[in-house]
Amino acid sequence: MSEMVIFGGNRLCGEVKVSGAKNAALPILFATILIPKDRVLLKNVPEIRDVQLSFSILRELGISVKKKQNLYEISTDLACFRPPSPSMVGEMRASTYLMGAMLGRFGRVELPMPGGCDFGTRPIDLHLLAFEKLGARCEREDDRITVSAERLRGSTIVFPIVSVGATVNAVLAAIAAEGETVIVNAARETHVSDLCRFLRACGAEISGIGTSVLRVCGGKKLHGCGYRIIDDVIEMATYLSAAFVTRGEIKVKGQFDPSMESIVQPLYEMGALIREEDDGVTLSAGGKRFGTEIRTAPSPGFPTDLHPLYTVLLCLTENGGSVEENIWQERFRYAVQLQKMGASLRRVGTKIYAAPSTLYGGNVVAVDLRAGAALIIAGLASCGKTVIHNTELIERGYESITDKLCALGADIEKRQ
Ligand code: UD1
């Protein structure tokens, strides 16, 4: 198990460049399975554990992945059907995307239940609903799922609630279906749009990108392409949070999309000074910090991924505030860890109330990726030494986070 040791209290200043978005990269990597015999050149692929794991899964299917300077070359010439190994699939939630991609390419997929961050039940009924609508058979036995179809046929899929994963899988399978598929109540997250734009660059016909109704005209033969993955707004918000809690000034460089608005709005409300420019966003937090009320919601709402981090920010305001979690009812396991560092938190149903707190160093455990990022933010704001255990989970989603924070003036040491 790896650890991070943080000596808090330093004011962080300077510039940091964000990496490619994890949540866009993973579906795009699995989508390459749909491309018969060609080459994809991907730019801005984040160097994180989940990406490396995805490459290993692709290689098991005979797909070659090579790094050439700042590009990844993915060649699907020798792709063939093989059941993916349970150990790899079990480690990563995004392996659910194998369902849509393998069903589309090979007409069949057999998977153990996918793993990933643990914040309560993570159902896949909507993924299966989409496949069945397209004419597939889904069988669930113990912890395994088999989805198969001789032919997929376009259809109308109406999701009762917004699901990023089910929308991605519906798009992937619809690409291989004959005729038009209409996906109603589709997720509008920018990473879903990025996947659709990638597929369009490969020859797919998709319209309604960025809206809640996606139309996929299936059956087009896909080809390779060159594509740059969007920058990571969650990573951007993580560095802005670091500036906020240390009363520093950080410019986060990257190309950000409209989803950024829901992320910076609470920061404005908390009293941060924010400057949005063409090449990035600068936050400085010198003056008073005010509490606010935040509600997580599907895009264009405030992203659930930032809930644990913004709870830390609220603890450092003059009057505290609250976060209401509307996506993952059990995404509160981080709170116990923050309490060990002096955070005054109280959970009532789906809401967590953060009272003004003085944070101090502690011995804590990263229980999931974003919970771990929240502990880093808390450690930077604390007086004294914080030791975070289980930091492999943080490396699943953040490229070189220790180096990037140290370059901004943080005192962090990584231990394997
Ligand atoms: C969700 C978040 C995404 C975040 C990720 C990791 C949303 C809409 N999605 O994506 O932003 O990056 O977690 O934190 O904010 N659900 C079902 N049946 C299904 C699938 C999902 O009931 O088959 C429910 C889930 O229990 C959850 C909601 O739908 O309450 C959203 O889940 P979904 O978007 O599918 O999860 P992820 O794709 O992991």
Side-chain angles (χ1 to χ4, degrees), residues 207-224:
S207 60
I209 296 177
T211 74
S212 55
V213 181
L214 288 169
R215 286 172 195 276
V216 180
C217 190
K220 309 276 173 238
K221 192 172 168 213
L222 301 191
H223 50 72

Side-chain angles (χ1 to χ4, degrees), residues 103-330:
L103 176 68
R105 174 76 188 265
F106 305 114
R108 177 182 168 78
V109 59
E110 208 185 303
L111 278 189
M113 281 299 284
C117 281
D118 178 12
F119 18 79
T121 320
R122 298 185 75 171
I124 56 162
D125 55 306
L126 301 178
H127 304 235
L128 304 185
L129 171 136
F131 299 142
E132 279 170 355
K133 275 277 176 196
L134 297 173
R137 267 186 320 281
C138 305
E139 287 159 60
R140 225 170 144 161
E141 209 180 304
D142 302 323
D143 258 4
R144 293 193 74 74
I145 293 170
T146 307
V147 186
S148 58
E150 263 130 53
R151 274 169 78 188
L152 292 169
R153 285 198 191 84
S155 178
T156 298
I157 301 166
V158 182
F159 286 126
I161 55 170
V162 177
S163 159
V164 168
T167 303
V168 166
N169 261 329
V171 168
L172 294 174
I175 293 287
E178 285 165 30
E180 187 182 66
T181 297
V182 183
I183 304 168
V184 180
N185 204 18
R188 288 186 277 164
E189 270 65 7
T190 45
H191 35 283
V192 174
S193 303
D194 207 38
L195 167 73
C196 292
R197 283 191 296 266
F198 165 74
L199 287 165
R200 252 198 343 208
C202 295
E205 258 187 63
I206 306 177
S207 60
I209 296 177
T211 74
S212 55
V213 181
L214 288 169
R215 286 172 195 276
V216 180
C217 190
K220 309 276 173 238
K221 192 172 168 213
L222 301 191
H223 50 72
C225 73
Y227 193 77
R228 183 186 186 279
I229 291 166
I230 51 167
D231 287 334
D232 195 328
V233 284
I234 304 297
E235 191 194 4
M236 171 197 73
T238 304
Y239 293 111
L240 296 183
S241 300
F244 185 87
V245 299
T246 64
R247 294 196 176 280
E249 177 163 332
I250 296 177
K251 175 167 186 174
V252 186
K253 294 187 81 174
Q255 287 162 358
F256 302 117
D257 47 64
S259 70
M260 196 179 88
E261 290 313 314
S262 66
I263 292 171
V264 296
Q265 182 57 33
L267 297 172
Y268 277 119
E269 291 168 13
M270 284 189 263
L273 297 174
I274 296 169
R275 212 171 44 247
E276 296 177 36
E277 293 160 292
D278 286 347
D279 64 341
V281 184
T282 303
L283 182 145
S284 61
K288 280 194 173 183
R289 297 182 289 196
F290 308 100
T292 188
E293 292 178 355
I294 298 170
R295 299 181 69 246
T296 67
S299 180
F302 180 80
T304 174
D305 282 341
L306 290 174
H307 154 181
L309 286 90
Y310 279 40
T311 301
V312 179
L313 309 195
L314 290 171
C315 285
L316 298 169
T317 58
E318 301 209 342
N319 47 339
S322 63
V323 183
E324 183 181 317
E325 176 56 54
N326 294 306
I327 309 294
W328 299 116
Q329 310 273 306
E330 293 310 318

Side-chain angles (χ1 to χ4, degrees), residues 349-368:
T350 56
K351 230 173 178 180
I352 192 151
Y353 292 89
S357 318
T358 303
L359 300 180
Y360 42 81
N363 214 341
V364 288
V365 182
V367 293
D368 64 58

